[in-house]
Amino acid sequence: MIKGGPKKDLQGKQIQSILISQPKPETEKSPYFDLAKKFNIKLDFCPFIRVEGLPAKEFRKQKIDILNFTAVIFTSRNSVDHFFRICEEMKVKVSQDCKYFCITEAVALYLQKFILYRKRKVFYGADGSTKGVLEVMNKHRDNEKFLFPSSDSQKKDIEEWLKANKCEYATATLYKTVSTDVKEVLAATSYDMIVFFSPSGVRSLFENMPGFEQNGTHIGAFGPTTSAAVEEAGLRLDVKAPLPQAPSMAAALELYLTTLIKK
Protein backbone atom coordinates (compact mmCIF):
# COMPACT_ATOMS: atom_id res chain seq x y z
CA MET A 1 0.00 0.00 0.00
CA ILE A 2 1.91 3.00 -1.28
CA LYS A 3 -0.37 5.92 -0.68
CA GLY A 4 0.16 9.61 -0.75
CA GLY A 5 -0.24 11.63 2.39
CA PRO A 6 0.84 15.14 3.31
CA LYS A 7 4.15 15.88 1.68
CA LYS A 8 6.91 16.03 4.23
CA ASP A 9 10.63 15.62 4.59
CA LEU A 10 11.33 12.10 5.80
CA GLN A 11 15.08 12.18 5.37
CA GLY A 12 15.52 11.58 9.08
CA LYS A 13 12.91 8.84 9.35
CA GLN A 14 14.13 5.35 10.03
CA ILE A 15 13.38 3.04 7.11
CA GLN A 16 11.61 -0.11 8.23
CA SER A 17 10.62 -1.73 4.93
CA ILE A 18 12.23 -1.86 1.48
CA LEU A 19 10.86 -3.30 -1.75
CA ILE A 20 13.59 -4.56 -4.11
CA SER A 21 12.19 -4.70 -7.65
CA GLN A 22 14.11 -7.86 -8.54
CA PRO A 23 13.64 -11.59 -7.91
CA LYS A 24 14.60 -12.89 -4.48
CA PRO A 25 18.24 -14.06 -4.38
CA GLU A 26 18.59 -17.83 -4.61
CA THR A 27 21.26 -17.97 -1.93
CA GLU A 28 20.96 -16.94 1.71
CA LYS A 29 24.45 -15.47 1.45
CA SER A 30 23.14 -12.44 -0.40
CA PRO A 31 24.26 -9.13 1.12
CA TYR A 32 20.62 -8.04 1.11
CA PHE A 33 19.81 -10.54 3.85
CA ASP A 34 22.78 -9.30 5.88
CA LEU A 35 21.41 -5.80 5.42
CA ALA A 36 17.97 -6.81 6.70
CA LYS A 37 19.46 -8.36 9.83
CA LYS A 38 21.87 -5.53 10.53
CA PHE A 39 19.21 -2.81 10.38
CA ASN A 40 16.24 -4.95 11.46
CA ILE A 41 14.21 -4.04 8.38
CA LYS A 42 11.60 -5.85 6.30
CA LEU A 43 13.08 -6.59 2.89
CA ASP A 44 10.80 -7.90 0.14
CA PHE A 45 11.62 -8.86 -3.44
CA CYS A 46 9.28 -8.57 -6.40
CA PRO A 47 10.37 -8.17 -10.04
CA PHE A 48 8.59 -5.24 -11.69
CA ILE A 49 9.48 -6.48 -15.18
CA ARG A 50 10.18 -9.68 -17.01
CA VAL A 51 12.43 -10.12 -20.01
CA GLU A 52 11.26 -11.96 -23.10
CA GLY A 53 13.84 -12.99 -25.66
CA LEU A 54 13.16 -12.55 -29.36
CA PRO A 55 13.33 -15.91 -31.14
CA ALA A 56 15.96 -16.41 -33.82
CA LYS A 57 13.22 -16.26 -36.46
CA GLU A 58 12.38 -12.71 -35.41
CA PHE A 59 16.04 -11.69 -35.10
CA ARG A 60 16.75 -12.80 -38.69
CA LYS A 61 14.29 -10.17 -39.91
CA GLN A 62 16.79 -7.51 -38.74
CA LYS A 63 19.25 -8.84 -41.34
CA ILE A 64 22.27 -8.57 -39.05
CA ASP A 65 25.23 -10.90 -39.57
CA ILE A 66 26.86 -11.24 -36.13
CA LEU A 67 30.13 -12.46 -37.64
CA ASN A 68 30.55 -9.18 -39.53
CA PHE A 69 31.31 -7.38 -36.25
CA THR A 70 34.58 -7.27 -34.33
CA ALA A 71 33.28 -5.84 -31.05
CA VAL A 72 30.14 -6.20 -28.92
CA ILE A 73 28.77 -3.64 -26.44
CA PHE A 74 27.01 -4.92 -23.30
CA THR A 75 25.05 -2.67 -20.94
CA SER A 76 23.49 -5.41 -18.78
CA ARG A 77 23.57 -9.10 -17.96
CA ASN A 78 20.36 -9.49 -19.96
CA SER A 79 22.13 -8.27 -23.07
CA VAL A 80 24.92 -10.81 -22.46
CA ASP A 81 22.45 -13.67 -21.90
CA HIS A 82 20.43 -12.96 -25.01
CA PHE A 83 23.41 -12.31 -27.27
CA PHE A 84 24.88 -15.72 -26.56
CA ARG A 85 21.41 -17.31 -26.65
CA ILE A 86 20.87 -16.01 -30.18
CA CYS A 87 24.36 -17.15 -31.17
CA GLU A 88 23.56 -20.64 -29.90
CA GLU A 89 20.15 -20.76 -31.59
CA MET A 90 21.69 -19.65 -34.89
CA LYS A 91 24.78 -21.84 -34.43
CA VAL A 92 27.06 -18.81 -34.68
CA LYS A 93 30.55 -19.23 -33.24
CA VAL A 94 31.94 -15.85 -32.21
CA SER A 95 35.58 -15.22 -33.11
CA GLN A 96 38.10 -15.49 -30.29
CA ASP A 97 39.43 -12.11 -31.41
CA CYS A 98 36.11 -10.38 -30.72
CA LYS A 99 36.30 -7.53 -28.22
CA TYR A 100 33.69 -6.86 -25.55
CA PHE A 101 32.91 -3.41 -24.13
CA CYS A 102 30.89 -3.54 -20.90
CA ILE A 103 29.27 -0.73 -18.95
CA THR A 104 30.44 -2.11 -15.58
CA GLU A 105 33.01 -4.51 -14.23
CA ALA A 106 30.18 -6.72 -12.95
CA VAL A 107 28.83 -7.14 -16.49
CA ALA A 108 32.36 -7.81 -17.74
CA LEU A 109 32.92 -10.52 -15.14
CA TYR A 110 29.55 -12.06 -16.02
CA LEU A 111 31.03 -12.87 -19.44
CA GLN A 112 32.96 -15.67 -17.75
CA LYS A 113 29.73 -17.66 -17.93
CA PHE A 114 30.10 -17.75 -21.71
CA ILE A 115 33.74 -17.18 -22.67
CA LEU A 116 37.25 -17.90 -21.48
CA TYR A 117 37.67 -14.49 -19.93
CA ARG A 118 41.46 -14.26 -20.00
CA LYS A 119 41.68 -15.25 -23.62
CA ARG A 120 39.32 -12.57 -24.81
CA LYS A 121 39.63 -8.84 -24.91
CA VAL A 122 37.21 -7.41 -22.36
CA PHE A 123 36.92 -3.72 -21.47
CA TYR A 124 34.66 -1.83 -19.06
CA GLY A 125 34.06 1.69 -17.82
CA ALA A 126 35.88 2.68 -14.66
CA ASP A 127 32.89 4.22 -12.90
CA GLY A 128 29.95 2.16 -14.12
CA SER A 129 28.55 5.01 -16.21
CA THR A 130 27.72 5.22 -19.89
CA LYS A 131 30.31 7.98 -20.18
CA GLY A 132 32.93 5.66 -18.72
CA VAL A 133 32.47 2.89 -21.26
CA LEU A 134 32.25 5.40 -24.12
CA GLU A 135 35.64 6.79 -23.09
CA VAL A 136 37.08 3.28 -23.40
CA MET A 137 35.35 2.68 -26.73
CA ASN A 138 36.66 5.97 -28.06
CA LYS A 139 40.18 4.52 -28.09
CA HIS A 140 39.06 1.73 -30.41
CA ARG A 141 36.37 3.38 -32.51
CA ASP A 142 38.42 3.60 -35.72
CA ASN A 143 39.37 -0.06 -35.82
CA GLU A 144 36.21 -1.88 -34.77
CA LYS A 145 32.79 -2.73 -36.12
CA PHE A 146 30.45 -2.54 -33.12
CA LEU A 147 27.38 -4.67 -32.47
CA PHE A 148 25.07 -3.29 -29.80
CA PRO A 149 22.66 -5.94 -28.41
CA SER A 150 19.72 -4.22 -26.76
CA SER A 151 16.11 -4.40 -25.65
CA ASP A 152 13.17 -2.79 -27.36
CA SER A 153 13.31 0.04 -24.80
CA GLN A 154 17.07 0.60 -24.65
CA LYS A 155 18.13 4.18 -24.02
CA LYS A 156 19.66 5.62 -27.19
CA ASP A 157 22.71 7.42 -25.77
CA ILE A 158 25.26 4.79 -26.84
CA GLU A 159 23.69 4.49 -30.27
CA GLU A 160 23.76 8.27 -30.65
CA TRP A 161 27.47 8.31 -29.73
CA LEU A 162 28.24 5.61 -32.30
CA LYS A 163 26.40 7.58 -34.95
CA ALA A 164 27.95 10.92 -34.01
CA ASN A 165 31.45 9.41 -34.16
CA LYS A 166 30.77 7.76 -37.52
CA CYS A 167 31.48 4.29 -36.18
CA GLU A 168 30.57 1.18 -38.10
CA TYR A 169 27.83 -0.36 -35.98
CA ALA A 170 24.45 -2.05 -35.81
CA THR A 171 21.90 -2.16 -33.02
CA ALA A 172 20.43 -5.62 -32.56
CA THR A 173 17.15 -5.91 -30.66
CA LEU A 174 17.39 -9.30 -28.93
CA TYR A 175 14.84 -9.03 -26.13
CA LYS A 176 12.01 -6.94 -24.81
CA THR A 177 10.93 -5.94 -21.32
CA VAL A 178 7.35 -6.41 -20.19
CA SER A 179 5.81 -4.95 -17.04
CA THR A 180 4.59 -7.47 -14.48
CA ASP A 181 1.43 -7.08 -12.40
CA VAL A 182 2.60 -5.90 -8.97
CA LYS A 183 -0.58 -4.12 -7.90
CA GLU A 184 -1.29 -6.57 -5.07
CA VAL A 185 2.26 -6.29 -3.71
CA LEU A 186 2.15 -2.50 -3.72
CA ALA A 187 -1.29 -2.51 -2.11
CA ALA A 188 -0.40 -5.01 0.62
CA THR A 189 2.42 -3.13 2.33
CA SER A 190 3.30 0.51 2.86
CA TYR A 191 6.98 0.39 1.87
CA ASP A 192 9.33 3.11 3.06
CA MET A 193 11.58 2.59 0.04
CA ILE A 194 11.44 1.12 -3.47
CA VAL A 195 14.64 0.21 -5.31
CA PHE A 196 14.80 0.14 -9.13
CA PHE A 197 17.33 -1.45 -11.46
CA SER A 198 16.14 -0.36 -14.90
CA PRO A 199 14.14 2.39 -16.59
CA SER A 200 11.56 -0.29 -17.44
CA GLY A 201 11.07 -0.95 -13.73
CA VAL A 202 10.25 2.72 -13.18
CA ARG A 203 7.80 2.60 -16.08
CA SER A 204 6.19 -0.51 -14.58
CA LEU A 205 5.53 1.34 -11.32
CA PHE A 206 3.42 3.94 -13.10
CA GLU A 207 1.70 1.36 -15.29
CA ASN A 208 0.64 -0.49 -12.14
CA MET A 209 -0.15 2.69 -10.21
CA PRO A 210 -0.94 5.53 -12.66
CA GLY A 211 -1.66 7.93 -9.81
CA PHE A 212 1.49 7.18 -7.84
CA GLU A 213 2.82 10.07 -5.77
CA GLN A 214 6.14 9.69 -4.03
CA ASN A 215 5.50 11.84 -0.98
CA GLY A 216 7.60 10.21 1.76
CA THR A 217 8.64 7.07 -0.14
CA HIS A 218 12.40 6.84 -0.53
CA ILE A 219 13.66 5.82 -3.97
CA GLY A 220 16.86 3.97 -4.85
CA ALA A 221 18.25 3.36 -8.35
CA PHE A 222 21.08 1.29 -9.72
CA GLY A 223 22.82 2.48 -12.85
CA PRO A 224 22.91 5.84 -14.62
CA THR A 225 20.01 5.15 -16.97
CA THR A 226 17.80 4.02 -14.09
CA SER A 227 18.71 7.10 -12.06
CA ALA A 228 17.86 9.30 -15.03
CA ALA A 229 14.51 7.53 -15.48
CA VAL A 230 13.62 8.12 -11.82
CA GLU A 231 14.32 11.82 -12.08
CA GLU A 232 12.62 12.15 -15.48
CA ALA A 233 9.51 10.64 -13.87
CA GLY A 234 9.52 13.54 -11.43
CA LEU A 235 10.60 11.45 -8.44
CA ARG A 236 13.17 12.35 -5.81
CA LEU A 237 16.20 10.05 -6.00
CA ASP A 238 17.51 9.27 -2.51
CA VAL A 239 19.96 6.42 -3.12
CA LYS A 240 22.13 6.21 -6.21
CA ALA A 241 24.48 3.38 -7.12
CA PRO A 242 27.08 2.47 -8.07
CA LEU A 243 29.33 4.91 -6.24
CA PRO A 244 33.09 4.73 -5.64
CA GLN A 245 32.46 3.87 -2.00
CA ALA A 246 29.43 1.69 -2.78
CA PRO A 247 29.83 -0.36 -5.98
CA SER A 248 26.67 -2.44 -5.38
CA MET A 249 23.09 -1.53 -4.55
CA ALA A 250 23.32 -3.38 -1.24
CA ALA A 251 26.41 -1.38 -0.31
CA ALA A 252 24.70 1.90 -1.28
CA LEU A 253 21.67 1.00 0.85
CA GLU A 254 23.90 0.19 3.82
CA LEU A 255 25.64 3.54 3.46
CA TYR A 256 22.31 5.37 3.25
CA LEU A 257 20.72 3.56 6.21
CA THR A 258 23.82 4.21 8.32
CA THR A 259 23.59 7.90 7.47
CA LEU A 260 19.92 8.03 8.50
CA ILE A 261 20.70 6.44 11.86
CA LYS A 262 23.37 9.06 12.57
CA LYS A 263 20.94 11.93 11.94
Side-chain angles (χ1 to χ4, degrees), residues 26 41 66 86 92 105 147 154 166 233 240:
E26 296 179 358
I41 55 175
I66 292 173
I86 283 290
V92 172
E105 182 180 10
L147 181 62
Q154 185 79 37
K166 299 181 179 179
K240 186 176 181 178

Side-chain angles (χ1 to χ4, degrees), residues 24 38 62 81 109 140 150 170 201 225 231:
K24 185 177 180 179
K38 180 176 180 179
Q62 299 177 50
D81 283 334
L109 292 173
H140 302 266
S150 69
T225 57
E231 293 174 337

Side-chain angles (χ1 to χ4, degrees), residues 154-220:
Q154 185 79 37
K155 194 174 180 182
K156 303 297 183 182
D157 46 1
I158 290 180
E159 190 173 356
E160 289 171 357
W161 182 91
L162 290 165
K163 186 176 182 179
N165 286 277
K166 299 181 179 179
C167 298
E168 290 191 67
Y169 79 95
T171 300
T173 301
L174 302 183
Y175 58 99
K176 59 182 179 179
T177 54
V178 181
S179 297
T180 53
D181 188 344
V182 294
K183 296 182 185 68
E184 289 186 7
V185 174
L186 295 174
T189 303
S190 181
Y191 290 99
D192 298 318
M193 174 181 280
I194 308 176
V195 179
F196 296 100
F197 296 84
S198 71
S200 299
V202 179
R203 185 182 70 238
S204 177
L205 170 66
F206 287 96
E207 288 181 358
N208 278 276
M209 297 187 69
F212 174 79
E213 293 182 8
Q214 181 176 7
N215 297 329
T217 307
H218 298 240
I219 299 291

Side-chain angles (χ1 to χ4, degrees), residues 53-115:
L54 264 66
K57 180 180 179 181
E58 291 296 316
F59 172 70
R60 287 191 180 95
K61 293 179 181 179
Q62 299 177 50
K63 298 181 179 180
I64 293 174
D65 185 348
I66 292 173
L67 296 181
N68 278 345
F69 299 89
T70 60
V72 186
I73 305 164
F74 291 125
T75 56
S76 68
R77 292 184 180 185
N78 280 327
S79 62
V80 175
D81 283 334
H82 288 283
F83 172 76
F84 287 102
R85 174 187 60 80
I86 283 290
C87 287
E88 183 176 356
E89 289 182 13
M90 298 181 65
K91 295 181 170 54
V92 172
K93 188 174 181 179
V94 182
S95 169
Q96 292 188 6
D97 295 324
C98 184
K99 294 178 182 177
Y100 300 96
F101 294 87
C102 306
I103 195 165
T104 64
E105 182 180 10
V107 172
L109 292 173
Y110 186 67
L111 280 170
Q112 294 177 100
K113 182 178 177 181
F114 301 95
I115 67 172

